[in-house]
Amino acid sequence: MANKGLFASAATKLLPRANAVNNEGAPAYAYGPEAKLAQLAATGTLADNFYGAAETQLADGLAAAQAVDPYFVAQAAIYARRSGAMKDMPALLAAYLTVADPDLAVPVFSRVIDNGRMLRNFVQIMRSGQVGRTSLGSRPKRLVQHWLEQASMPQLMAAATGKDPSLADIVRMVHPKPADATRKAFYGWLIGRPYDVAALPAEIAAFEAWKADRSLPLPQVPFEWLTAFPLTAADWAVLSTRIGWQALRMNLNTLARSGAFDVPGVSEVVAARLADAETIAKVRPMPYQLMVALGQAGDGVPLNVQAALEQALELSLRRVPKVAGRVVVCPDVSGSMESPATGYRKGASSKVRCIDVAALVAAAMLRTNRDARVLPFEQAVVKLKLKANARVAVNAAKLAAVGGGGTNVSAPLALLNRERAQVDLVVIVSDNESWVDASRRGATATMAEWNRLKDRNPGAKLVCIDIQPYGTTQAKDQADILNVGGFSDAVFDTIARFAAGKTRDWVEVIKEIEV
C-alpha cells in the first residue's frame, strides 16, 4: 500500500500546515498578534496555570501588546473588563498604555479602572516596573487623583478594603485634594494623621463608636471591616441584608455557621436577594461562579436559598442564544481541565475549574437548543446521557464529574464523520492542549477532520472556545472557523453573531469597541 503520509489527498495538502506546537509538544496553530492579545486579555489572570507560570503569562501579555497597535490594546482592555469581567489583564494593559500611548491611556483608565480593587491593581502594576516605570508619573498620578476626588464615600470605603497597596498607601502617593472638610477628615483618619473628629463621615464616626461599644447598631461600612471583630448571629442577619450581591453569594456557608439563618425571616430575605432578576442583570455574575456556589452550599444553607441560587444561575444564562439548525457542543473533560480556570494562587485559587466552564457552556447550550447533541471528549468521546429539559446545574454537574484522560480535540469531529452526521454548528470548549491525535506533519487532526465534515456540510461552522491563555489553537481561523477566548456570558453573544453570519472573527468584535 502506498505511504499515506507521502501520498495524502490533494484536499488534505491544501489545509494550512501547523506552524507551532502546544505545551504538550503537539502540532498547533499560533494565534495572530491581535487574536493572541485578545485571548490573553479575556482569559489571562496573571496566575500560575496547568502548563505555565504567572511570569510567563505576564511576559506574553506585554509582548502581545507591543506587537499590535496601541488602539487595539485599548479596545482589548475595555472588552476584557466590560464584557469579560476580567481584572488583572485590563489593569496591566491600562498601565502599559501610560507608556505606549499616554493620550490613549486617559479614556481607557476611565473605562477600565472602575472600582477600588481595579485602582489598587493599576497602582501595584505601575510601581512594579513591569511596564517600564517604577513610579506613577505625572499623568497617571493625575488619573488616580481624579478617581479619588470623584469617588463617592461608599466607593472610597470599599476601596479601603484590601492592601498591597492599600488605599492609604495610594493616598500618600498621590496627595488628592480634599473637596471639603469631610473628605479631609476621612483622608486623615485613613492614613493615621490628625483629623477633625466632628467632620468625619457619619459612617466612619459610627464605626469608631461601634468599636468602643458593641451594643450599638452595626455601622454602614464594608462588612470586611466588621468581620475582623466577633459578630453574633443577629449581626450576621443584619449583614445579610446589606452586603453586596457577590459577597452574599460567597458567604452563604458563613451565614449558616454563624446561625444567621436561624433568625426568623433571614432565609427568605437572602433567597429574594439572590434571585432578583434586576440585580443579576446589573451585577452580571459569571454563571460558572453560581454553579460552583450551588455545589458548595453546605447542609446548613436552607433549601429555599439553594433554590434561589439555582434560579440565579438560570437568570444569568438568559443570553445564551438559540441557534438555527443542528448544533453539536463538545466539552473537553480531559485531565488538564481539572485545573482552576483562573489559575493557581497561593491561598486563593479559584474553585471554578476549566471543566466546570466547559460543562456549563454545554449544559447551557443544550437548555436553549433542545435538539443539540453534547459530545464530551478526552482521549475519545465519552458516552453520557443528558436530558435537554433537565436543569442546567444538573447537566453541568454530570459533565463536570467525568474528567480524566488525555486530550484529543479532534475526537468528536472524527465521530461525526464516522456517523456521516449532518451538522450546522459545532462548538468545542477546551484548553486546546491536544496531543493524543498529534500528527507528524501538515495540518492538525482537528483541521483534517473538520475538512472532511465540511465536504458533507458545506455551510457548517466551527467555534472553538479557548479558556486558557496558552496562545495556540487546533483549528486555524478562517471564514467558517472562529476561535474565541473567555469564560463570561459575552462568549455566548459572540457564538450567536458568528452562527448568524454577522461577524467573521472575534477580533472584529473587539474592534467595534469605541475608546
Side-chain angles (χ1 to χ4, degrees):
M1 181 179 290
N3 186 315
K4 292 183 179 180
L6 294 176
F7 302 101
S9 68
T12 301
K13 287 187 174 183
L14 289 174
L15 292 175
R17 295 179 64 87
N19 59 4
V21 293
N22 60 23
N23 287 291
E24 291 284 2
Y29 299 98
Y31 287 121
E34 291 179 333
K36 183 174 182 178
L37 178 64
Q39 197 249 2
L40 281 162
T43 63
T45 58
L46 301 181
D48 295 343
N49 51 36
F50 192 85
Y51 289 101
E55 291 79 9
T56 301
Q57 197 177 122
L58 171 63
D60 287 346
L62 291 174
Q66 292 164 358
V68 302
D69 185 270
Y71 194 83
F72 184 76
V73 176
Q75 291 172 311
I78 294 169
Y79 174 88
R81 179 61 184 155
R82 292 301 178 90
S83 297
M86 300 300 287
K87 301 179 181 69
D88 293 344
M89 270 295 179
L92 174 66
L93 297 180
Y96 166 80
L97 286 171
T98 65
V99 176
D101 193 327
D103 291 337
L104 197 54
V106 175
V108 171
F109 183 94
S110 65
R111 303 274 296 280
V112 169
I113 310 304
D114 54 8
N115 62 35
R117 177 174 176 175
M118 291 299 294
L119 184 74
R120 294 197 308 274
N121 285 353
F122 175 82
V123 173
Q124 180 184 16
I125 291 167
M126 291 292 294
R127 297 179 69 202
S128 71
Q130 295 291 349
V131 298
R133 62 200 315 169
T134 56
S135 62
L136 289 178
S138 57
R139 184 173 292 188
K141 181 178 178 180
R142 288 196 299 270
L143 290 172
V144 174
Q145 284 175 333
H146 181 74
W147 191 97
L148 293 170
E149 291 163 1
Q150 296 298 310
S152 66
M153 189 52 62
Q155 287 174 319
L156 287 172
M157 289 193 298
T161 303
K163 55 184 180 179
D164 299 325
S166 66
L167 184 64
D169 295 330
I170 295 173
V171 168
R172 291 189 189 99
M173 282 181 227
V174 304
H175 307 292
K177 296 179 181 179
D180 51 37
T182 297
R183 191 65 61 105
K184 182 178 180 180
F186 171 74
Y187 289 147
W189 173 85
L190 182 69
I191 65 177
R193 290 187 177 178
Y195 59 88
D196 182 358
V197 175
L200 269 181
E203 301 93 335
I204 305 296
F207 177 58
E208 291 296 327
W210 177 81
K211 287 195 297 181
D213 181 1
R214 303 291 174 75
S215 67
L216 294 172
L218 286 179
Q220 293 277 1
V221 295
F223 88 100
E224 294 90 347
W225 297 11
L226 302 173
T227 55
F229 303 91
L231 298 176
T232 66
D235 291 332
W236 277 104
V238 172
L239 287 179
S240 72
T241 67
R242 290 185 185 175
I243 60 179
W245 194 93
Q246 290 282 30
L248 180 63
R249 184 262 304 174
M250 295 169 64
N251 284 279
L252 295 177
N253 288 329
T254 301
L255 290 172
R257 286 194 302 269
S258 70
F261 289 124
D262 296 329
V263 177
V266 169
S267 69
E268 290 78 10
V269 170
V270 170
R273 290 192 65 198
L274 288 173
D276 183 70
E278 186 175 335
T279 301
I280 291 169
K282 182 179 179 180
V283 175
R284 287 187 64 183
M286 287 194 181
Y288 324 106
Q289 295 172 328
L290 292 171
M291 187 181 76
V292 172
L294 186 59
Q296 292 183 336
D299 293 338
V301 178
L303 293 179
N304 64 330
V305 174
Q306 296 185 44
L309 261 184
E310 191 160 351
Q311 187 178 348
L313 173 60
E314 297 283 351
L315 289 169
S316 73
L317 293 167
R318 279 184 171 179
R319 297 171 64 184
V320 177
K322 178 165 178 54
V323 180
R326 295 152 294 195
V327 178
V328 181
V329 188
C330 312
D332 181 351
V333 295
S334 64
S336 63
M337 297 288 283
E338 294 284 344
S339 62
T342 56
Y344 298 98
R345 292 178 187 266
K346 187 176 181 179
S349 293
S350 169
K351 297 295 191 292
V352 182
R353 302 168 300 166
C354 293
I355 197 171
D356 296 319
V357 175
L360 193 56
V361 169
M365 291 289 289
L366 178 62
R367 184 64 180 271
T368 306
N369 302 272
R370 297 299 178 93
D371 295 326
R373 291 184 67 183
V374 177
L375 301 177
F377 68 90
E378 43 178 49
Q379 297 182 70
V381 173
V382 178
K383 292 183 179 180
L384 186 66
K385 183 69 173 177
L386 300 178
K387 295 181 180 179
N389 60 352
R391 301 190 308 276
V392 168
V394 171
N395 280 337
K398 283 185 179 180
L399 284 165
V402 180
T407 308
N408 183 355
V409 173
S410 66
L413 297 176
L415 176 63
L416 294 171
N417 284 329
R418 290 195 297 271
E419 296 177 348
R420 300 192 62 78
Q422 299 298 305
V423 298
D424 297 297
L425 175 68
V426 178
V427 178
I428 297 176
V429 195
S430 175
D431 63 3
N432 270 323
E433 297 302 303
S434 192
W435 59 270
V436 173
D437 55 354
S439 57
R440 289 184 298 170
R441 60 177 67 85
T444 62
T446 300
M447 284 299 289
E449 293 292 350
W450 179 247
N451 188 56
R452 296 186 186 102
L453 187 146
K454 286 284 289 187
D455 285 342
R456 296 190 318 278
N457 304 274
K461 293 185 176 182
L462 172 64
V463 176
C464 299
I465 302 176
D466 195 346
I467 53 180
Q468 290 286 270
Y470 296 139
T472 63
T473 179
Q474 291 295 297
K476 186 174 177 61
D477 276 322
Q478 56 188 40
D480 58 343
I481 298 176
L482 170 70
N483 283 286
V484 57
F487 30 79
S488 75
D489 60 357
V491 171
F492 294 121
D493 292 337
T494 306
I495 293 173
R497 294 180 62 176
F498 181 69
K502 294 180 181 178
T503 186
R504 196 189 73 79
D505 62 40
W506 184 34
V507 169
E508 286 182 0
V509 173
I510 295 174
K511 285 186 173 181
E512 291 176 358
I513 293 173
E514 294 184 7
V515 179

